[in-house]
Structure formats: C-alpha cells, structure tokens
Amino acid sequence: MRSVAEVVLKHIHKVYDGGVVAVQDLSFEVQDKEFLVLVGPSGCGKSTLLRMIAGLEEITSGDLFIDGKRCNDVAPKDRDIAMVFQNYALYPHMTVEENLAFGLKLRKLPKDEIRRRVGEAAEMLGITAYLSRKPKALSGGQRQRVALGRAIVRKPKVFLFDEPLSNLDAKMRVQMRVEISRLSGQLQTTMIYVTHDQTEAMTMGHRIVCMKDGVIQQYGTPMELYKHPTNKFVAGFIGMPPMNFLPCEWNGESLAITGAGATGVYATDFKTHPAAKPILGVRPEHLRLERMANDGGKGEARAGIAAEVEVVEPLGAETLVYCRAGQHRAVARIHPDMLVGRGDRVTLIPDAAHLHFFDA
C-alpha cells in the first residue's frame, strides 16, 4: 500500500556563512498527490528551498516533515525523493537504457524488475526507440524525457523539479509542460516544481508559492493569485503581459491618473474606496480601448485615460497594444479585428469590476 507523501515545512530558515539570508521563516504544506509550484525571480530562494527538501542543503532552523517523519537530519538517499535537474545530469558514456537503470542497480533490484520498470518508463515517455542511444545523440527534449524517466523508475514518494525546462526552446517547453502535467495525473505522486516562468506556474500547479527575497508573498491556487493578488509584487509577477500600474489620486468621487494630463480621469462606483493616493492596477484584458474622434488633435477622453499608441503586437487570436498615457505606459489586450496603428490617439477605459488598488 502506498504511503501518504505529504511534505510539511515549518518556519524554515536558511542562512549562509557571512549572514546571507536565503530563506526566512517559510511555512507551508504540500498535500499528497499535489503538484505544487515554487515561483519567483532569480535569487528569491526557491532552488535553495528545493535543495533543502532534497537534503542537498542543510536547514539552518525550522522543521521539514516528509510522510510524517522529521527529515532535517535524514540523508538524501533515505528521503525517498527523486530530483530532476535543469541540466539533465545524464551519464554521457551510458546508453539511455543504462541511464534509466543505473539507480535501480545501485539499489540492487532484481534484473527482471529493473527491465520492467525501465520498459514502463520508456513507454510512458515515448523514448523506447532511443534506449540504445547515448545522450549526445538526443535532442534537448529527448534528454529531458530521459531525466524524467530516471526519476520515474525509482517510484519515489516525492518528485522535485529544479527548472527542468529552462534549457529547451519555446516550442519544446510547451510540449514538455504538457507532458509533465500529464505524468502528474498518471503517476499520482506528490510533485514540487521550481520555475521563474509564471506561465509554467499558472498552467501546471495545483497551488503556487510565490516568493521574493526568501519570503513567501502569496500561497494559493493559480487563479487566486491571478484574480486576488495580495500585493503589487504578486500582481506584477503573475500574468503575461504584466498588470498595468498607474499612480492615482482619489477625491472621494473620481480617480485622477497622476501625470496623465487633464483627461486622465476615471469616475466610477467603487466597491471599496481606495486610499487618497493609491496605485491602480488593471490587467491588459480589463482595459478597453476606444479610438478618439479625429478632430485635429483636440480629442478628449470620455471617463477614461487619454493615450497614444506606441507599439502594436498582433498575435493571431489577440492583439497587444502598448500605449503612452502622459508619463506612464500601459498595455491593452484587444480583439484582433480592431485595427489600430502607431500614433493613433485612443481612450483607455478600465473595467470597474476588475480594478486593484495598492498602497503607494
């Protein structure tokens, strides 16, 4: 019977020599069979945290529990964890089959069992035809499949992924993202995945831990972070293109976008009144774009923000329009049938139902 592979972190700290703090007072739980993503910019402590879970980094203080057992002092080989690295970490002199079987041979499993597990993993990942090849004869995507297979054959309690797709090209990243998500459902094993790519976090994770400077900024489902960001950092990090931020002044009845000219006024009925000088956050899809009348440059915005189009990016299913509004820039996501060009004067109209206010 399979044990419950729950990972619990309680007040984890990591301080290096010289007093450099990598992770501070970090607590969360990874439920059994959950796919949890650690996301944040480079240097935020997410890979350090993953290495502490694996036992490759010592925990300065706090407690780590795997399957109910405190594992702070348990050797990496005894934690029943498999880790997939960014650089694949394959043995170049071994064939794919030998790479897959190597860890099982060290554990002295019977030859028939090794052959069965290798065959199952190769079939699952579509690499059966490459078993006799060496890593140098494989593409990046094929090598990453072999690295995944080497983890799968061990049948660990927990899979750890340290930015496994960052060395692949854009098309292959999308394919492998789907592949790992499919494997997650098929293997029904707890997975912790580190990435700096918010698209990977949004599309793959059951829940996300968003980090900055070694501190958790928000912990929740992808849509919780997207729709209800707890602070400006999360709002700007999750979502592509990022959320627009516009400094404002609130007079009790309307918002004036600071530095956007006399037309930068947006009056609406807010569910919650912002502070006197908030930062307005609005996502590109919640920013409607209307052309101004052609009146020789005297057009005025109607309850919106006057702006000028600087760049248009047609993406097929949608178009991104980058605008300048006074001292500020904003991007709107519009329907591809709406034709606008560089230099066009437009009005940006935020959707009152989807506004965010942050303390300046």
Side-chain angles (χ1 to χ4, degrees):
M1 183 178 175
R2 179 184 175 276
S3 60
V4 177
E6 185 181 59
V7 180
V8 179
L9 297 93
K10 294 184 177 180
H11 304 293
I12 297 292
H13 289 77
K14 176 63 181 180
V15 183
Y16 289 105
D17 293 342
V20 177
V21 179
V23 171
Q24 48 184 317
D25 198 21
L26 197 148
S27 300
F28 63 87
E29 295 182 7
V30 189
Q31 299 170 2
D32 183 41
K33 301 178 186 176
E34 182 176 20
F35 195 121
L36 182 114
V37 178
L38 301 172
V39 69
S42 297
C44 73
K46 56 190 186 296
S47 290
T48 299
L49 178 60
L50 198 76
R51 291 173 63 82
M52 285 193 285
I53 296 171
L56 303 177
E57 291 272 5
E58 187 177 340
I59 296 172
T60 304
S61 65
D63 298 299
L64 168 68
F65 297 90
I66 300 173
D67 198 10
K69 178 183 177 182
R70 187 177 184 274
C71 289
N72 290 47
D73 302 316
V74 175
K77 65 183 179 64
D78 298 325
R79 296 191 184 195
D80 200 5
I81 279 175
M83 192 161 179
V84 180
F85 295 92
Q86 176 180 342
N87 61 357
Y88 319 132
L90 302 177
Y91 296 107
H93 62 287
M94 294 184 182
T95 64
V96 168
E97 185 173 12
E98 290 167 341
N99 266 283
L100 294 175
F102 184 71
L104 303 180
K105 289 179 179 177
L106 288 181
R107 294 164 68 183
K108 295 183 168 52
L109 265 65
K111 288 183 179 179
D112 288 347
E113 175 69 6
I114 293 174
R115 194 176 302 113
R116 183 183 67 79
R117 289 196 189 187
V118 168
E120 284 179 355
E123 183 71 25
M124 189 181 296
L125 293 163
I127 55 174
T128 304
Y130 312 127
L131 288 175
S132 61
R133 296 188 188 180
K134 292 186 177 178
K136 67 181 179 181
L138 304 177
S139 68
Q142 290 164 348
R143 291 179 194 178
Q144 193 55 273
R145 281 185 166 85
V146 177
L148 284 170
R150 195 171 54 185
I152 289 169
V153 296
R154 289 184 51 194
K155 297 186 176 180
K157 289 178 183 174
V158 181
F159 282 93
L160 303 179
F161 298 89
D162 190 8
E163 305 210 33
L165 308 185
S166 58
N167 287 339
L168 303 179
D169 62 45
K171 183 178 179 181
M172 185 56 66
R173 275 203 306 273
V174 173
Q175 291 179 4
M176 289 304 300
R177 199 168 72 210
V178 173
E179 194 77 17
I180 293 173
S181 295
R182 182 184 64 79
L183 284 171
S184 172
Q186 192 171 345
L187 296 172
Q188 292 289 291
T189 306
T190 306
M191 296 186 175
I192 304 175
Y193 187 103
V194 160
T195 181
H196 63 270
D197 186 327
Q198 58 86 29
T199 302
E200 287 181 21
M202 287 290 293
T203 56
M204 299 174 75
H206 297 152
R207 285 191 294 172
I208 295 172
V209 173
C210 185
M211 296 177 63
K212 178 189 177 189
D213 299 333
V215 177
I216 293 178
Q217 302 297 307
Q218 191 166 354
Y219 174 38
T221 66
M223 292 315 294
E224 283 173 349
L225 271 67
Y226 190 80
K227 291 184 175 181
H228 308 289
T230 194
N231 58 32
K232 186 169 175 260
F233 172 78
V234 177
F237 194 83
I238 300 294
M240 187 56 67
M243 183 181 286
N244 298 296
F245 296 112
L246 299 166
C248 307
E249 291 187 11
W250 166 249
N251 64 13
E253 295 181 357
S254 63
L255 272 180
I257 309 299
T258 309
T263 58
V265 177
Y266 179 61
T268 186
D269 294 325
F270 296 120
K271 293 179 181 177
T272 57
H273 288 179
K277 292 188 177 182
I279 292 176
L280 168 67
V282 57
R283 293 205 180 276
E285 61 268 31
H286 299 140
L287 202 56
R288 197 166 87 249
L289 186 147
E290 291 185 359
R291 281 196 190 85
M292 282 191 192
N294 184 9
D295 57 2
K298 297 178 182 178
E300 292 190 2
R302 304 187 326 275
I305 305 164
E308 182 177 316
V309 174
E310 291 189 317
V311 176
V312 178
E313 288 186 343
L315 300 175
E318 63 186 15
T319 297
L320 300 179
V321 182
Y322 294 82
C323 304
R324 175 181 282 280
Q327 301 173 8
H328 313 295
R329 285 187 167 91
V331 55
R333 193 191 305 267
I334 67 172
H335 194 278
D337 290 346
M338 183 177 183
L339 300 178
V340 293
R342 182 178 178 183
D344 285 357
R345 301 182 73 248
V346 296
T347 303
L348 303 175
I349 304 175
D351 183 344
H354 295 94
L355 301 182
H356 304 266
F357 294 103
F358 303 98
D359 190 328

